[in-house]
Amino acid sequence: MVVLGFSTTLTLGDRGAWAACRVNRSANSSFRLYRKRSAVIRAEVRFVNGDDAKKLVTEEGFTVLDVRDRIQYERARITSCCHVPLFVENQDNDLGTIIKRTVHNNFSGLFFGLPFTKPNPDFVQSVKQQFPPDSKLLVVCQEGLRSAAAANTLENQGFENVACLTSGLQSVKPGTFDSVGSTELQDAGKAGLVTIQGKISAVLGTVLICAFLFITFFPEQAEKLLQMSPAS
């Protein structure tokens, strides 16, 4: 009976210990889950303006990662930047791509000078080959959309120190960064008939202003010129 009682008491104690162990395991699992979630939460992408971006490069040692397409990059770029395009020119020759490329080249490409592109399938791998995950990267593009997408992609891939230039290089004040290329950083996205149209509008505006001033201050001479014009 004593053995039986001892055995019964031991069994109850084992049950209590087992219950306590389960509680501890549950607590430990919750703690590990909390630690795992905490580990997953990394520093978010820092969105900065032109002046703050300059400080990141000069004072904190950030490297500029330019994700624009090849054409914009060649027009103007920040000195000593690294170029890995988020989109590359689409040279595929399937029927659907040919039709899309033709439509693009006759509209967006013609008026804005934009190349027909597709997502760069090697973007992440190319960045990883050049930079370790703890690298300080300042991601830039022309308008700020591609750089935001690229920065979020790199952050999701484990890069810990990523910043993004808000509104792109088009919003940077002249002289903020040293640059190379055939134009200013702010104008690298301007091309095609839009730029020609702007020049034509400027010339026509100047001619109209001059004609208005001539008629206003020299009305007699203007009337004589009108009389000399051939009658319709």
Side-chain angles (χ1 to χ4, degrees):
M1 295 298 293
V2 174
V3 175
L4 179 59
F6 176 77
S7 183
T8 303
T9 303
L10 182 61
T11 301
L12 293 174
D14 286 346
R15 289 179 179 177
W18 175 251
C21 180
R22 292 183 63 184
V23 171
N24 290 334
R25 285 183 178 179
S26 177
N28 290 334
S29 298
S30 299
F31 179 70
R32 285 196 299 269
L33 180 60
Y34 171 78
R35 290 185 60 188
K36 183 176 180 181
R37 288 179 177 176
S38 299
V40 171
I41 300 176
R42 297 182 293 272
E44 295 181 353
V45 175
R46 298 167 59 181
F47 290 89
V48 296
N49 58 27
D51 294 335
D52 292 335
K54 177 69 173 181
K55 293 179 181 178
L56 290 181
V57 174
T58 58
E59 299 179 8
E60 299 188 31
F62 273 68
T63 299
V64 178
L65 177 63
D66 194 326
V67 299
R68 296 175 299 167
D69 59 71
R70 177 185 58 82
I71 294 178
Q72 291 182 342
Y73 174 78
E74 291 177 350
R75 289 174 189 158
R77 58 191 177 275
I78 297 175
T79 304
S80 302
C81 71
C82 177
H83 183 227
V84 181
L86 184 64
F87 291 87
V88 294
E89 293 184 49
N90 190 346
Q91 301 293 341
D92 297 342
N93 290 319
D94 59 279
L95 181 59
T97 301
I98 292 175
I99 294 175
K100 292 178 182 178
R101 183 166 55 238
T102 302
V103 173
H104 170 88
N105 292 339
N106 288 327
F107 289 93
S108 299
L110 180 63
F111 285 95
F112 301 102
L114 299 175
F116 182 66
T117 60
K118 64 179 180 180
N120 182 3
D122 302 321
F123 172 74
V124 174
Q125 186 62 28
S126 298
V127 176
K128 286 184 175 180
Q129 289 176 352
Q130 301 181 57
F131 301 100
D134 59 347
S135 298
K136 298 179 178 180
L137 299 178
L138 172 64
V139 187
V140 303
C141 71
Q142 196 64 31
E143 300 85 11
L145 298 178
R146 288 167 293 181
S147 58
N152 287 326
T153 298
L154 294 176
E155 194 271 339
N156 291 333
Q157 290 294 324
F159 283 85
E160 303 168 1
N161 298 293
V162 181
C164 176
L165 178 60
T166 304
S167 299
L169 294 174
Q170 66 178 4
S171 64
V172 173
K173 299 176 183 177
T176 301
F177 293 99
D178 294 332
S179 62
V180 294
S182 59
T183 186
E184 298 294 333
L185 290 171
Q186 301 77 18
D187 299 327
K190 299 177 181 178
L193 293 181
V194 171
T195 57
I196 300 176
Q197 180 182 4
K199 295 177 181 179
I200 294 175
S201 299
V203 172
L204 290 177
T206 302
V207 171
L208 290 176
I209 292 174
C210 292
F212 174 77
L213 293 175
F214 181 77
I215 294 173
T216 301
F217 293 101
F218 306 99
E220 296 181 358
Q221 288 83 347
E223 185 177 358
K224 291 179 180 180
L225 289 176
L226 291 175
Q227 292 176 352
M228 293 174 59
S229 61
S232 55

